[in-house]
Amino acid sequence: MIDVRRVSRVYRPAADLEVHALRDVSLRIGRGELVAIMGSSGSGKSTLMHILGCLDAPTAGRYLLDGIDVADAHEDDLSDLRNRKIGFVFQAFNLVPRTSALSNVELPLAYAGVPRAERRRRAEAALGAVGMAKRLDHLPSELSGGQQQRVAVARAIVTDPALVLADEPTGNLDSHTTEEVLRIFDELHEQGRTIVLITHEDEVAAHAGRVIRLGDGQVLSDSAHPPVTATAGERAA
């Protein structure tokens, strides 16, 4: 699904200054994997997420998404690729403030030109899948942080993407709400989606079957381990 080949990213905020955010990073993530990418602030994990999500381009190296070399894609094609194949979840939720939960989830479908009735049906199904079926008409300001993140996850999956990228998805949540949101990611993974969690929290990474650690823009380690998932009883609760 993801094939990163010796990717570097250099920013030049001034003519005489270079910031090396990524240095010769190579990694592969297979279809259906749940992977956590960890690192402290400045490690390069958010830069890597932006490249994986086709929101930024590497300075050097190649990135193939589902076999497509993104360097060869026109900007319009990249936009279509993002909308069809990738769902994004961010720490700050990024919901439109004066728009209902249902309308927020419909947005990616509206951009894709999906007819209104079909948009509503799919958005309602996505919100139902994350336990928000009774909050369709609520504004973000009327929802808790955990509920807002559930809406954000519904928006990420409403286009049925093969890949979900989540950048610090529990960073603004308390421990109980964090577990609720992580259960949703566990369920998405069980459905066969490829999920990449960008995090600095060990309890979040524990839900992944593989952890990649970054430091100073380089891969420090890449290890597999049995993921911690919610039991059937916990999910029913």
Side-chain angles (χ1 to χ4, degrees):
M1 187 71 193
I2 288 173
D3 187 358
V4 176
R5 303 180 182 179
R6 304 194 66 175
V7 160
S8 296
R9 183 64 172 99
V10 179
Y11 295 101
R12 294 180 173 84
D16 59 346
L17 178 63
E18 289 188 347
V19 177
H20 292 260
L22 293 176
R23 302 170 184 264
D24 204 28
V25 170
S26 294
L27 60 90
R28 290 183 177 182
I29 296 174
R31 188 177 299 276
E33 281 196 82
L34 197 171
V35 178
I37 297 179
M38 299 191 72
S40 59
S41 178
S43 64
K45 61 185 187 297
S46 289
T47 299
L48 179 58
M49 194 278 281
H50 286 138
I51 289 175
L52 297 182
C54 303
L55 299 172
D56 195 5
T59 306
R62 299 176 65 196
Y63 170 41
L64 283 75
L65 174 60
D66 205 16
I68 300 171
D69 191 333
V70 299
D72 297 333
H74 187 274
E75 181 55 42
D76 289 342
D77 295 329
L78 279 179
S79 179
D80 182 59
L81 187 67
R82 284 192 296 265
N83 204 38
R84 288 187 299 105
K85 288 188 176 291
I86 307 173
F88 295 93
V89 181
F90 298 98
Q91 178 178 350
F93 316 138
N94 290 356
L95 301 178
V96 180
R98 297 182 181 180
T99 302
S100 70
L102 182 65
S103 295
N104 266 284
V105 175
E106 285 182 337
L107 280 176
L109 300 177
Y111 294 145
V114 176
R116 179 172 296 182
E118 177 68 5
R119 290 202 308 262
R120 183 178 181 91
R121 183 191 69 78
R122 290 172 62 176
E124 288 179 347
L127 284 163
V130 298
M132 292 295 289
K134 296 182 179 180
R135 298 289 190 273
L136 303 182
D137 298 321
H138 285 62
L139 300 177
S141 60
E142 299 171 327
L143 302 173
S144 68
Q147 289 172 334
Q148 289 185 63
Q149 193 60 294
R150 285 172 181 261
V151 173
V153 172
R155 182 182 57 192
I157 66 173
V158 74
T159 57
D160 195 26
L163 171 64
V164 176
L165 296 176
D167 191 6
E168 301 285 2
T170 61
N172 287 334
L173 307 178
D174 60 42
S175 57
H176 176 71
T177 308
T178 289
E179 282 302 314
E180 291 180 342
V181 170
L182 289 175
R183 287 177 191 174
I184 294 174
F185 284 112
D186 290 340
E187 291 164 4
L188 294 175
H189 177 232
E190 290 172 2
Q191 294 167 12
R193 299 182 196 272
T194 305
I195 299 175
V196 178
L197 300 173
I198 309 295
T199 185
H200 65 274
E201 300 174 275
D202 289 330
E203 59 269 31
V204 175
H207 282 251
R210 177 182 168 197
V211 177
I212 298 170
R213 295 182 183 273
L214 297 183
D216 294 325
Q218 297 177 299
V219 175
L220 301 180
S221 65
D222 185 345
S223 59
H225 64 83
V228 174
T229 57
T231 66
E234 287 174 328
R235 287 183 190 138

